């Protein structure tokens, strides 16, 4: 077996080299004796679409294992100025291993596309379950929040800010535990960053005001998420983004009557405009969150061991079940012309 740090080089159909970059930790074991080749990944179905990419369920012809293959059009990535985000996503996923985070196994590019081979998580998006149920019970919200706190704390301890927490980016595995996905906005931070990115309803005030932001934005977003899970709608919403931003900056919260007293207190402490006073961003970090009264029944040591009982067990008949995802038309998405060499050079290390 090659050493974990070794980069395996293989030939693709055109005889060009493509690098296999093993992720650390669990990713190494999965990659150890294997090199992935595009032609050995059989496309089963489309399970997601985005502005410049698609996610396919694929099956490895050798191991018969299922994976998610994220495929991004190079011209669209460049046109939308997403090169840095794509490189950040690879860098971040290559160095994280956690039961509540998606795993990256392999990256590759050819003359048209960038590829990322990831875990396939068959339970579907938390968003779908929230939409079906209208809202979650207090105990269900407590379960998901506990697992998310552990995942975000893990990232923050590695100086990574996630920046895209929302129900659409939380997948449920076959047992009902969470997996954060889509690390396109994630970034390794030494100090602060000024990029405006995220979903309008979930943006922290400091992002809107271009004040420079850091890890505190993830705790703000968690406050929005807890509210949305338990109320069925986000606390700040409007028909257009500008209206949403005005409401966020005004910071006026109106809670539905049914919300638990302690969860209202928790949400208020997350949605504090002054970052220095925001729960999770003070000197005790995530420990302040874990000690909050809403979590009094949570055994924090049991959370990352996946010992808490999930409130929803997805209906999954087999590892490659796609029934928990929307159905997408399988069109001729792959028939784009090759991109010029100067564009390919932007991704030579991908």
């Amino acid at each position: 077996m090659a050493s974990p740090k070794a980069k395996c080089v293989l030939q693709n159909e055109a005889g060009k080299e493509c690098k296999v970059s093993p992720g650390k930790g669990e990713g190494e074991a999965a990659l150890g004796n294997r090199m992935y080749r595009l032609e050995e990944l059989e496309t089963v179905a489309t399970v997601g679409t985005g502005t410049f990419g698609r996610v396919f369920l694929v099956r490895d012809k050798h191991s018969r294992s299922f994976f998610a293959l994220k495929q991004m059009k190079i011209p669209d990535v460049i046109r939308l100025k997403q090169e840095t985000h794509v490189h950040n996503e690879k860098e971040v996923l290559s160095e994280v291993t956690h039961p509540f985070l998606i795993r990256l196994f392999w990256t590759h590019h050819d003359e048209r596309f960038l590829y990322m081979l990831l875990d396939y998580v068959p339970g579907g998006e938390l968003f779908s379950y929230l939409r079906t149920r209208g809202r979650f019970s207090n105990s269900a919200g407590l379960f998901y929040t506990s697992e998310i706190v552990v995942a975000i704390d893990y990232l923050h301890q590695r100086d990574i800010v996630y920046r895209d927490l929302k129900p659409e980016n939380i997948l449920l595995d076959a047992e009902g535990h969470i997996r954060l996905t889509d690390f396109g906005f994630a970034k390794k931070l030494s100090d602060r960053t000024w990029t405006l990115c995220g979903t309008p309803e979930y943006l922290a005030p400091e992002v809107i005001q271009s004040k420079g932001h850091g890890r505190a934005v993830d705790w703000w977003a968690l406050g929005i998420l807890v509210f949305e899970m338990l109320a069925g709608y986000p606390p700040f919403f409007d028909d257009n983004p500008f209206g949403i931003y005005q409401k966020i900056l005004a910071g006026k919260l109106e809670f539905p009557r049914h919300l638990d007293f302690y969860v209202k207190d928790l949400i208020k402490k997350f949605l504090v405009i002054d970052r220095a006073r925001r729960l999770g961003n003070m000197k005790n970090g995530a420990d302040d969150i874990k000690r909050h009264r809403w979590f009094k029944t949570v055994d924090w040591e049991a959370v990352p061991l996946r010992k808490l009982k999930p409130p929803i067990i997805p209906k999954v008949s087999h590892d490659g079940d796609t029934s928990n995802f929307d159905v997408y038309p399988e069109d001729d998405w792959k028939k784009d012309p090759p991109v010029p060499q100067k564009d390919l050079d932007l991704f030579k290390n991908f």
Side-chain angles (χ1 to χ4, degrees), residues 1-8 19-25 28 31:
M1 188 186 293
S3 76
K5 291 200 173 92
K7 284 202 170 167
C8 315
K19 288 186 175 57
V20 178
S21 310
K24 295 188 174 71
E28 286 160 9
L31 278 163

Side-chain angles (χ1 to χ4, degrees), residues 45 66 89 109 200 227 272 322 329 348:
F66 291 98
E89 181 169 20
H109 74 81
F227 187 107
V272 169
T322 59
K348 62 177 180 286

Side-chain angles (χ1 to χ4, degrees), residues 27 164 169 190 265:
D164 207 12
N169 286 344
S190 49
D265 182 70

